[in-house]
Amino acid sequence: MPQRPSLYDRSIVLTDESFICRESTKKILILREKDTQISKELFPKTIPVIEMVIPENKEMIRQLIQSQTIGTHIFVLAPWDKASMVFDVCIEEGMAEEELQIQILGEKKKKVYCMKCYQLHEVKLDDTTTQCSCGTHLSVGPFFSALRKGYIGYPFLPIIEKVRSCVR
């Protein structure tokens, strides 16, 4: 059965503001893209900060997360796809949402899989409807298909066309 990716459902973690410190925070782990710089002034000076490049794949991220101690707060600075991958692994490993903070780089997009022509393409995160490159109008469904690696886009007739067909 298709399941929804965690990050899309838990967007309350996302922030473009400064770091939010918790009482339980003992260490801050910054995971960032290779060429990305981050100002250390966002973080409290009393808590140790470790900065690392985001590992290449989910298994390497999992090993990194498992090696962290209780009280580690993770701050991710990455594009949507990499941030989503880190977030999913952290939740799978039992971290609380309060221990994660994510700042997205670039435009937020999601992939949509057209159920008519079977093409995968990107749309803005907030879009609920789109037009596929095959010309089909799609209603972006709420469920993500792990098999097809994208949200399911169901073909539909736009409301204007439906009204015209009723009038005829």
Side-chain angles (χ1 to χ4, degrees):
M1 175 155 190
Q3 62 183 36
R4 301 164 81 166
S6 305
L7 187 57
Y8 297 120
D9 301 326
R10 298 183 170 138
S11 57
I12 53 167
V13 184
L14 303 179
T15 179
D16 293 324
E17 309 289 6
S18 62
F19 179 77
I20 300 168
C21 191
R22 309 278 182 239
E23 289 178 22
S24 61
T25 303
K26 305 279 187 267
K27 177 174 73 172
I28 301 164
L29 175 62
I30 301 170
L31 296 176
R32 60 173 177 75
E33 282 282 78
K34 201 176 284 186
D35 300 329
T36 307
Q37 298 298 320
I38 187 164
S39 171
K40 300 276 178 136
E41 294 179 15
L42 294 173
F43 306 98
K45 302 205 182 334
T46 56
I47 299 173
V49 176
I50 299 169
E51 193 173 341
M52 297 179 75
V53 173
I54 296 174
E56 305 257 332
N57 58 47
K58 270 191 162 186
E59 202 46 50
M60 293 171 75
I61 295 170
R62 189 175 313 283
Q63 290 172 1
L64 175 65
I65 300 304
Q66 289 172 347
S67 70
Q68 298 308 307
T69 56
I70 294 174
T72 300
H73 188 111
I74 296 179
F75 185 89
V76 181
L77 182 66
W80 188 258
D81 56 342
K82 282 217 176 176
S84 173
M85 186 168 56
V86 172
F87 184 89
D88 288 344
V89 170
C90 289
I91 295 301
E92 288 167 13
E93 289 300 316
M95 289 188 72
E97 291 178 38
E98 297 80 36
E99 297 173 307
L100 296 165
Q101 191 167 343
I102 299 173
Q103 185 171 342
I104 300 297
L105 297 175
E107 191 174 8
K108 300 173 190 171
K109 292 186 176 183
K110 61 183 172 184
K111 293 188 177 180
V112 176
Y113 184 80
C114 177
M115 292 300 286
K116 184 173 181 185
C117 70
Y118 309 111
Q119 290 182 22
L120 191 64
H121 55 97
E122 287 187 343
V123 297
K124 290 182 183 172
L125 185 61
D126 298 330
D127 286 352
T128 56
T129 61
T130 187
Q131 184 168 354
C132 182
S133 53
C134 72
T136 306
H137 292 279
L138 299 175
S139 173
V140 179
F143 295 105
F144 184 84
S145 169
L147 175 68
R148 294 177 171 86
K149 299 183 181 350
Y151 279 87
I152 302 299
Y154 299 102
F156 79 104
L157 292 172
I159 295 171
I160 297 167
E161 290 180 22
K162 285 182 182 178
V163 170
R164 284 185 192 154
S165 64
C166 292
V167 173
R168 290 182 190 160

